[in-house]
């Protein structure tokens, strides 16, 4: 900043002196602007958990008197720009709660990497920022966590006594992988998938993903974290039409954990007419009203949602936090599936692929080495051709069966799957090919037996290996859902 001595100011022309004084007086207004909606917004930057610079906006009421409570908004999964939570931030600020909403980090956070501890440190950095601001009561600054933030905000509260309260909306009670499996299977059923495929996604496929470590923070358990919130007032809310986390199960877990911890100020509630994010919906799959975000409707805040949160915060700030109570949970159509711990879930499909791949691999190696094949009689051509088709079909079948449900996880959006006769089109084709594979194996076995005297030792071993792989496939396919309705 340029500083002028009093003598230099006297020498300035009168109009220049006026502008200099006005410039000094208006400097704070350039940083904190008051819009026509009665809110003051100030752009801020602060250091996150690992020193990364984070950018956000502090919103406050232009008329609320005295020291006000504060709240830091912790977003859900994904990049989470602050604009996504503008409606919530404005609702808190209008109610006299100074609010920080910030752009989520994209460094050390991606679709393949999650560190809830680091995100919790970011949230605590935001709490420190608000606690140091004039007009904010440093003893009543809390956290609001949406979805993934429902794991992060409680974790942050256990790490610092600076967090005066916690609000969650759509907070998951299960691990990230189990929650996502429930989410995807629920959306598949909404799309009209009525067969066993949703169970494959939520069960065997999820277990396979866990075994290969392909899902970030897959086994994070929120229960021990909730059990450490002994003295922090908690308001845990779910939309009555939540289709992304199991609301009934999650609410029960929150209630039991907080009660078991001896927390006397834990309120469990459900927002009528609300989706996962507390915004208006008719069934949990659409959004009604509100602004657009990336061309898609966010939905307006559900009636009563903002009032429930802001009135609760003001009661906490008045040192009268509500006594623990829980509203009746809405019915939940689909129960989530536990993900068994198994480090070797990948082994069975790997062995199947290996068994089917041996014959074409030997042929490829021979071609590379340019070694001529042993001449066999003409009548062995049939079994050789059948073996070739069996191995190729086996590789296609096992690979496709693995990729189909895993692609649902990778896309993160089960609604993109085309459905035919109650099953995804590709899955329906794979089920038909599974029957064809077993029939082809039976034909190959019968033909090879008839021609056994003419087959060379190498072809016999390759045929036996492929048929053994098919037998293994016959045992694995029902568990994977290929030979089920």
């Amino acid at each position: 900043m340029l500083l002028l001595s009093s003598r230099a100011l006297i020498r300035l022309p009168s109009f220049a002196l006026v502008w200099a004084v006005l410039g000094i007086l208006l400097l704070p207004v350039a940083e904190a602007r008051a819009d026509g909606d009665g809110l003051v917004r100030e752009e801020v930057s602060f250091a996150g958990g690992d020193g990364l610079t984070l950018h956000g906006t502090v919103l406050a009421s232009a008329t609320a008197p005295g020291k006000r409570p504060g709240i830091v908004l912790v977003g859900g999964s994904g990049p989470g720009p602050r604009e996504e939570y503008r409606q919530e931030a404005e609702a808190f600020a209008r109610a006299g709660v100074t609010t920080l909403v910030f752009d989520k980090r994209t460094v050390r956070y991606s679709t393949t990497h999650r560190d809830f501890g680091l995100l919790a440190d970011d949230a605590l950095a935001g709490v420190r920022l608000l606690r140091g601001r004039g007009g904010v009561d440093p003893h009543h600054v809390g956290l609001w966590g949406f979805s993934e933030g429902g794991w992060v905000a409680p974790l942050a509260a256990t790490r610092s006594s600076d967090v005066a309260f916690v609000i969650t909306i759509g907070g998951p009670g299960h691990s990230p992988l189990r929650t996502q499996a429930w989410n995807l299977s629920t959306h598949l059923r909404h799309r009209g998938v009525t067969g066993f495929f949703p169970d494959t996604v939520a069960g065997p496929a999820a277990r396979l993903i866990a075994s290969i470590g392909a899902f970030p923070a897959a086994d994070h358990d929120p229960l021990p974290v909730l059990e450490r919130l002994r003295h922090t007032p908690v308001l845990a809310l779910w939309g009555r039409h939540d289709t992304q986390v199991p609301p009934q199960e999650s609410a029960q877990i929150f209630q039991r954990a907080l009660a078991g911890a001896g927390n006397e100020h834990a309120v469990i509630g459900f927002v009528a007419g609300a989706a996962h994010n507390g915004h208006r919906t008719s069934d949990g799959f659409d959004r009604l009203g509100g602004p657009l975000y990336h061309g898609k409707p966010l939905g307006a805040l559900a009636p009563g949602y903002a009032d429930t949160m802001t009135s609760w915060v003001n009661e906490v700030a008045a040192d009268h936090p509500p006594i623990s109570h829980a509203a009746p949970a809405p019915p939940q159509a689909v129960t989530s599936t536990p993900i068994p711990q198994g480090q070797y879930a990948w082994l069975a499909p790997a062995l199947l692929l290996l068994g089917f791949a041996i014959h074409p691999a030997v042929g490829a190696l021979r071609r590379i080495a340019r070694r001529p094949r042993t001449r066999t009689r003409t009548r062995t051509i049939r079994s050789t051709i059948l073996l070739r088709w069996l191995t190729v079909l086996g590789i296609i079948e096992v690979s496709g069966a693995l990729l189909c449900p895993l692609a649902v996880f990778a896309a993160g959006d089960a609604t993109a799957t085309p459905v035919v006769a109650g099953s995804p089109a590709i899955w329906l084709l794979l089920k038909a090919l599974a029957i064809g594979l077993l029939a082809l194996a039976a034909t190959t076995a019968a033909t090879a037996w008839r021609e056994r005297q003419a087959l060379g030792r190498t072809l016999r071993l390759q045929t036996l290996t492929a048929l053994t792989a098919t037998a293994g496939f016959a045992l694995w396919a029902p568990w994977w859902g290929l030979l089920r309705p």
Side-chain angles (χ1 to χ4, degrees):
M1 180 182 292
L2 179 63
L3 298 178
L4 299 177
S5 67
S6 58
R7 182 176 297 179
L9 285 173
I10 293 172
R11 292 175 180 174
L12 286 172
S14 59
F15 70 87
L17 179 61
V18 172
W19 281 113
V21 173
L22 285 176
I24 294 172
L25 292 176
L26 291 176
L27 273 175
V29 180
E31 297 177 359
R33 68 183 189 279
D35 293 336
D37 56 0
L39 300 180
V40 177
R41 294 169 173 82
E42 181 179 350
E43 303 303 305
V44 296
S45 297
F46 59 100
D50 56 354
L52 178 71
T53 300
L54 301 172
H55 305 284
T57 305
V58 174
L59 297 88
S61 170
T63 58
K67 293 282 188 178
R68 299 180 290 273
I71 194 165
V72 178
L73 305 191
V74 181
S77 62
R82 72 190 90 163
E83 180 62 22
E84 190 172 348
Y85 308 105
R86 178 175 59 83
Q87 294 181 80
E88 288 84 353
E90 292 176 349
F92 278 117
R94 280 193 293 268
V97 183
T98 301
T99 305
L100 168 63
V101 56
F102 62 95
D103 296 329
K104 192 172 186 176
R105 66 167 53 240
T106 55
V107 177
R108 296 181 63 190
Y109 180 93
S110 66
T111 56
T112 58
H113 177 75
R114 294 285 194 279
D115 185 342
F116 293 155
L118 185 58
L119 296 176
D121 289 342
D122 289 346
L124 290 176
V127 169
R128 289 192 294 271
L129 183 147
L130 282 188
R131 282 169 55 87
R133 292 181 64 84
V136 175
D137 182 351
H139 302 294
H140 291 107
V141 176
L143 293 170
W144 172 94
F146 161 58
S147 193
E148 182 184 83
W151 288 307
V152 175
L155 178 59
T158 65
R159 293 184 169 188
S160 173
S161 59
D162 289 345
V163 179
F165 58 85
V166 170
I167 298 176
T168 62
I169 175 68
H174 293 304
S175 68
L177 181 55
R178 181 170 176 175
T179 300
Q180 179 67 345
W182 184 87
N183 168 28
L184 295 173
S185 62
T186 298
H187 281 72
L188 282 168
R189 288 184 170 91
H190 176 70
R191 284 275 295 163
V193 179
T194 57
F196 198 78
F197 184 69
D199 297 319
T200 299
V201 170
R207 184 178 180 183
L208 175 63
I209 287 174
S211 71
I212 62 178
F215 196 90
D219 58 352
H220 172 77
D221 187 359
L223 186 59
V225 175
L226 295 172
E227 290 175 338
R228 295 202 298 272
L229 292 178
R230 297 181 178 89
H231 307 293
T232 306
V234 175
L235 173 63
L237 300 173
W238 289 265
R240 294 189 70 88
H241 299 296
D242 196 331
T243 60
Q244 292 181 254
V245 309
Q248 185 183 81
E249 296 174 38
S250 297
Q252 291 171 350
I253 291 171
F254 268 64
Q255 184 180 5
R256 286 197 301 265
L258 293 169
N263 192 319
E264 298 178 352
H265 303 289
V267 177
I268 308 296
F270 299 89
V271 184
H276 174 55
N277 60 354
H279 293 215
R280 289 181 58 206
T281 184
S282 64
D283 59 359
F285 298 96
D286 61 10
R287 299 293 183 270
L288 304 176
L292 297 178
Y293 177 69
H294 285 186
K296 297 181 179 179
L298 275 175
L301 300 185
Y305 169 47
D307 291 340
T308 297
M309 294 190 297
T310 56
S311 61
W312 183 85
V313 170
N314 285 321
E315 287 184 75
V316 172
D319 294 324
H320 298 295
I323 299 299
S324 295
H325 64 274
Q332 184 182 300
V334 179
T335 303
S336 70
T337 302
I339 310 298
Q341 295 294 324
Q343 298 180 353
Y344 301 104
W346 54 268
L347 186 58
L351 289 176
L352 294 178
L353 288 171
L354 179 62
F356 286 120
I358 285 178
H359 175 62
V362 170
L365 290 174
R366 277 181 170 169
R367 284 191 292 273
I368 293 173
R370 296 183 178 178
R371 293 177 59 184
R373 293 184 180 180
T374 303
R375 288 182 175 270
T376 57
R377 294 180 224 178
T378 305
R379 60 194 180 95
T380 66
I381 293 177
R382 176 174 168 79
S383 60
T384 304
I385 292 175
L386 290 174
L387 177 60
R388 184 181 301 124
W389 278 104
L390 178 65
T391 56
V392 171
L393 183 58
I395 293 172
I396 293 174
E397 177 65 18
V398 176
S399 299
L402 291 173
L403 291 175
C404 190
L406 295 184
V408 175
F409 275 96
D413 184 6
T415 60
T417 308
V419 178
V420 177
S423 292
I426 297 178
W427 189 251
L428 200 62
L429 176 61
L430 289 169
K431 290 173 68 174
L433 289 178
I435 298 173
L437 178 66
L438 297 179
L440 180 58
T443 304
T444 302
T447 304
W449 178 258
R450 288 195 302 269
E451 300 177 345
R452 63 187 181 279
Q453 299 299 328
L455 291 176
R457 185 176 64 178
T458 302
L459 276 176
R460 288 180 187 176
L461 289 175
Q462 292 175 16
T463 302
L464 181 61
T465 302
L467 291 175
T468 302
T470 307
F473 174 81
L475 297 175
W476 177 79
W479 177 73
W480 198 256
L482 286 167
L483 298 177
R484 296 201 181 194

